[in-house]
Amino acid sequence: MTSTTESSNTVWHRATVTRRRRERQNGHRGVILWFTGLSGSGKSTLAHALEEELHQRGCRTFVCDGDNVRHGLCGDLGFSDEDRAENVRRIGQMAKLFVEGGVIALTAFISPFRVDRQRVRMMVDNSKDFIEVFCDCPLEICEQRDVKGLYQRARRGEIPDFTGISSPYETPQNADLIVKTSEYTVEQCVQKVLALLEERGVVAPK
Ligand code: ADP
C-alpha cells in the first residue's frame, strides 16, 4: 500500500475481513456448486435438499435458482443463445461474490452451453472454487416429470428455444460429479455431493 488517499483506505478496510477469515469463522470453504442439466433433471430439488443438510451442519449457504434470478437480476434477458450466455455470466459473477463471502453458493440453472459454464469456472481464482454437478437424467424422464408443464407447452410449439426440444443441451465432458437422478433417490444424490464436498475439503466430515 503506497498511497494514503481515501480510496486506498477504503480498499484496505474492505480487505480487513478477508475470505480466509470468513471461512475460518464459518468452519468451511466458500465454493460454487454449479448444478447443470435439463429442465426437470433435479437441479433445484437437489440444491435445496443439499442446502437443508448443509444448513443443519451449521454451514453458510445460498441457493440461486433459475426462475428467481430471471425475475430480478436477469429479468431483462430472454432465451436466445446470447441472452443465455449473459444470464450465466451474471449468475457466475454473483456466485463469485458469495464465494468471496465464504459462502457455499448452490446454483440451479440449465446453463446448456459448455463454453458458458467453462467461463464461470475461469472467473474464480482457483478451479477448486467451482464444482460442476451434472444432473444426468434422460429427456424422456424429464418430460414425464414435466414439473412445470413446460415440456408439454414446448411440444405444442408455445415455447421457442426450449432446451432439449428446440434448443441444444451440451452434456458436460469434465463434470466434477455426475448424479443420475432417474436412478437414485434425492437423498442418495445429496449424499454423493456431500461426499465430494468432504473429499475436496470444502466441509469437514460429519
Ligand atoms: P430442475 O430444477 O432441474 O428443473 P426440479 O428439481 O424442479 O428440476 O424437478 C425435478 C423433479 O424430479 C422433482 O419433481 C423431483 O421430486 C424429481 N426427482 C426424482 N428423483 C430425483 C432425484 N434423485 N434428484 C432430484 N430430483 C428428483
Side-chain angles (χ1 to χ4, degrees):
M1 198 78 57
T2 53
S3 163
T4 54
T5 62
E6 276 181 25
S7 60
S8 63
N9 280 341
T10 307
V11 171
W12 185 83
H13 275 291
R14 262 204 252 129
T16 308
V17 180
T18 61
R19 173 180 169 187
R20 296 292 161 230
R21 284 181 61 195
R22 292 178 208 275
E23 291 179 330
R24 217 172 303 134
Q25 189 171 59
N26 293 347
H28 60 80
R29 284 207 293 114
V31 76
I32 299 174
L33 258 180
W34 191 276
F35 291 88
T36 174
L38 293 169
S39 176
S41 62
K43 303 179 295 298
S44 293
T45 303
L46 280 184
H48 286 284
L50 181 62
E51 177 177 53
E52 183 60 46
E53 178 78 28
L54 290 169
H55 185 76
Q56 285 180 23
R57 288 192 186 194
C59 298
R60 305 214 185 274
T61 59
F62 194 77
V63 177
C64 311
D65 202 293
D67 289 349
N68 300 354
V69 169
R70 282 201 176 267
H71 283 130
L73 179 67
C74 300
D76 57 324
L77 300 175
F79 290 87
S80 66
D81 289 2
E82 296 73 26
D83 279 7
R84 283 176 192 266
E86 175 59 12
N87 188 45
V88 171
R89 190 193 69 80
R90 287 186 202 172
I91 294 155
Q93 289 292 349
M94 181 175 66
K96 183 180 171 181
L97 291 175
F98 277 100
V99 173
E100 285 305 313
V103 173
I104 298 173
L106 306 98
T107 65
F109 300 91
I110 298 173
S111 46
F113 301 123
R114 268 181 218 125
V115 63
D116 297 335
R117 297 190 299 261
Q118 184 62 18
R119 202 174 294 132
V120 179
R121 189 187 282 277
M122 302 314 286
M123 269 179 205
V124 282
D125 285 350
N126 190 326
S127 62
K128 69 179 191 215
D129 291 344
F130 183 86
I131 295 178
E132 186 177 19
V133 180
F134 174 34
C135 294
D136 186 7
C137 185
L139 176 64
E140 307 80 66
I141 305 283
C142 293
E143 209 165 343
Q144 274 166 28
R145 289 176 177 167
D146 209 5
V147 189
K148 301 168 200 153
L150 295 176
Y151 282 101
Q152 221 176 36
R153 289 182 54 210
R155 287 290 184 197
R156 286 201 300 261
E158 292 170 16
I159 309 176
D161 302 323
F162 193 77
T163 303
I165 307 290
S166 47
S167 183
Y169 177 79
E170 296 175 358
T171 303
Q173 289 169 323
N174 296 301
D176 296 271
L177 185 68
I178 299 173
V179 283
K180 292 191 175 292
T181 65
S182 58
E183 294 178 19
Y184 297 94
T185 65
V186 173
E187 187 48 33
Q188 286 170 326
C189 294
V190 165
Q191 289 307 321
K192 279 179 199 285
V193 187
L194 268 175
L196 181 69
L197 292 179
E198 291 175 359
E199 190 186 304
R200 299 259 175 114
V202 175
V203 297
K206 211 172 179 182

